[in-house]
Every structure is written in structure tokens, then in C-alpha cells.
Amino acid sequence: MVDRGELVEHYATADEQGRLTGGTSLERLRTQLLLRRALPAAPSRILDVGGGAGVHAAWLAELGHSVHLVDAVPEHVEQARSAGTFTAALGDAVELAEADHSYDAVLLLGPLYHLRRRSERIQALREAHRVTRAGGVLAAAAISRYASMMDGFYRGFVADPAFVEIVVRDLETGRHDNPTRHPRYFTSSYFHTCAELRAEIAAAGYRLVDLLPVEGVLAWYPGLDEQMSDPVRRDLVLRCIERTEHDPAVTAASPHLLALASV
């Protein structure tokens, strides 16, 4: 089960909504581009599990979908409900309250890295499978095994010996621990290899359609924010990531991975 106490503590200081709603957020823009490709046409019923404050749910509702959001953090659910364009409830990815085969698509854009045990991640995937109709779609995000290593060098965190210990553990086991609770070092989580993510999707009974990088290697470009603030350059960034998204080396180096699968 998700450790709600630690999640609430982490997201009380981390402005997840603000991080994703910024106009230059590469993670948000790429995620939504990939979802546009994969999701059924509107109107369809979409369950957003672990949807936070509802950044993607609100966008999907604007496109004409009927969206219900479930999240383990009470503050997120309150923020999501304030949007007024979709429904939201407190819940846990490993034990969904929704009925069998009741949705056309399910998003898991957070639970797989907050559930640290493989058995729990597979249970969350199976729950998503249970509530999805035959032929429906799963979009499941994971954090790459190499994310903290890349981020640590990019942002200079490796100057801190405590962060170096985190990186070494991540690379060896995938288990990301933050014993100092440093707000910029993320909360306790699990970081996947591409092979692990494929295996977990298969173990839950899905047919994997694609495994793609969300941000790709350009996430680590020092001038990325400046590039993304200019519409012409932003378009170039997005086109370059799309052109390289099926290169396995690029996928593994991306901070976030997105698995697209069908029931």
C-alpha cells in the first residue's frame, strides 16, 4: 500500500501542480502528446489513478472526456475537485473502488513509482486492468533507473555525499530512499529499468503496445527552459524527441518512461 503519511509530507512542500502547469513543462507537454495518440476518441470514460491535483484530468475533460480522478493525497483531491470539470475521490491504486470493465482507459501516471514492492505495482496494474473494458487502453508512467544519477550531475546534487549514496542505491536496486527527507531529493519510490516495466505490464495481463521516453535526453539540456519558452524552439525540441523516441538508449536516459498497453 502507498505510505500516505510520507506522500502527504512530500507533496505538502512539493508544488506538483505548479511544476506541471508551467507553460514550459516538457514532462506535461510530452505526456499529453503521447496520450493524444493513444487514448480513444472523446467522449470516453477515463480513470486517472494517482492523478494528483488534476492537471491531466482537467485537460482531458476540456477535450470532451468523462474523467474520474483517484489519489492518495487528500490535498490533491481537494485541489482536483475545485476544477469542477471532473470528479475526484480519495483512493488507493492497489484497491480501486470502481466497477469491473467500467472505463475506456486508465492512467497510472504516478502509482508505479510510489509503490516500492513489485507485488504492489503488479496489483495496481491488475486493478487498472480489472476496471478497463476489453480493448481499452492503459498509460502507465515510471521513473527511469538512471534519473537520479542524471539529475544529480545536472543540478549539482552529487556534491552532497548523502545524495551520492542515494544514487548508488538507485543504480543497484531501483529503490530510491531519501532518509534526510531533503525536499529536492524526491520521496521514497522505485525507479524502473525498461525491462522491468515491460515485465510488470505483461505480468498484469496487458499487451504492451509501446514503451516511450517522456522527456528524452533533452531533459538534461542546460538551456532547456529557454528553449521551451520560445514556441519555435519548443516545437523543435518536441519534434527531435519524437524522432528519437524509439531508440532504446534514448528511452532509458529519459527521466520518465511511459508504457502504453491494451487490455
Side-chain angles (χ1 to χ4, degrees):
M1 303 286 280
V2 173
D3 184 340
R4 292 191 182 188
E6 187 171 350
L7 275 184
V8 170
E9 178 185 333
H10 171 73
Y11 285 112
T13 57
D15 182 9
E16 184 71 0
Q17 185 176 25
R19 184 182 71 82
L20 288 175
T21 53
T24 61
S25 170
L26 179 58
E27 180 188 345
R28 173 178 56 82
L29 292 174
R30 265 286 290 179
T31 297
Q32 292 180 353
L33 283 171
L34 296 177
L35 291 177
R36 274 186 183 272
R37 288 192 221 164
L39 293 177
S44 61
R45 299 195 71 219
I46 298 177
L47 180 65
D48 187 0
V49 183
V55 170
H56 296 303
W59 167 73
L60 289 166
E62 288 177 3
L63 294 179
H65 295 285
S66 174
V67 186
H68 181 60
L69 179 146
V70 175
D71 199 87
V73 178
E75 183 179 356
H76 284 171
V77 174
E78 290 177 12
Q79 290 173 331
R81 285 174 174 165
S82 70
T85 57
F86 57 91
T87 58
L90 195 66
D92 198 309
V94 301
E95 192 175 356
L96 296 174
E98 284 65 38
D100 294 358
H101 318 304
S102 53
Y103 287 89
D104 300 302
V106 175
L107 310 184
L108 289 173
L109 302 182
L112 294 189
Y113 44 85
H114 286 307
L115 295 167
R116 309 235 295 162
R117 296 177 183 172
R118 185 177 188 272
S119 60
E120 291 176 338
R121 294 192 297 275
I122 292 175
Q123 176 61 22
L125 288 163
R126 286 176 175 161
E127 276 290 274
H129 191 290
R130 176 183 65 78
V131 303
T132 307
R133 65 167 178 79
V137 174
L138 168 77
I143 298 177
S144 167
R145 176 65 55 88
Y146 314 111
S148 60
M149 177 187 70
M150 305 285 277
D151 196 40
F153 280 97
Y154 173 69
R155 296 207 262 176
F157 295 159
V158 290
D160 179 359
F163 188 82
V164 173
E165 291 183 15
I166 292 173
V167 170
V168 170
R169 190 180 305 110
D170 288 353
L171 294 174
E172 289 179 348
T173 69
R175 290 178 63 87
H176 180 83
D177 295 306
N178 180 7
T180 66
R181 301 292 177 94
H182 191 302
R184 299 188 71 186
Y185 295 174
F186 202 49
T187 189
S188 297
S189 45
Y190 188 81
F191 293 176
H192 283 79
T193 65
C194 292
E196 286 174 335
L197 184 55
R198 288 190 186 95
E200 290 176 9
I201 295 289
Y206 286 98
R207 179 180 69 85
L208 183 67
V209 175
D210 222 339
L211 178 57
L212 299 165
V214 176
E215 306 94 327
V217 295
L218 292 183
W220 313 114
Y221 175 55
L224 180 64
D225 287 343
E226 180 182 352
Q227 298 289 329
M228 294 294 291
S229 65
D230 179 87
V232 175
R233 293 180 180 179
R234 180 168 63 242
D235 181 65
L236 176 61
V237 168
L238 294 171
R239 284 191 288 118
C240 286
I241 296 172
E242 183 176 359
R243 288 291 183 92
T244 58
E245 67 185 17
H246 286 105
D247 184 330
V250 172
T251 300
S254 178
H256 294 90
L257 314 171
L258 187 69
L260 300 172
S262 63
V263 173

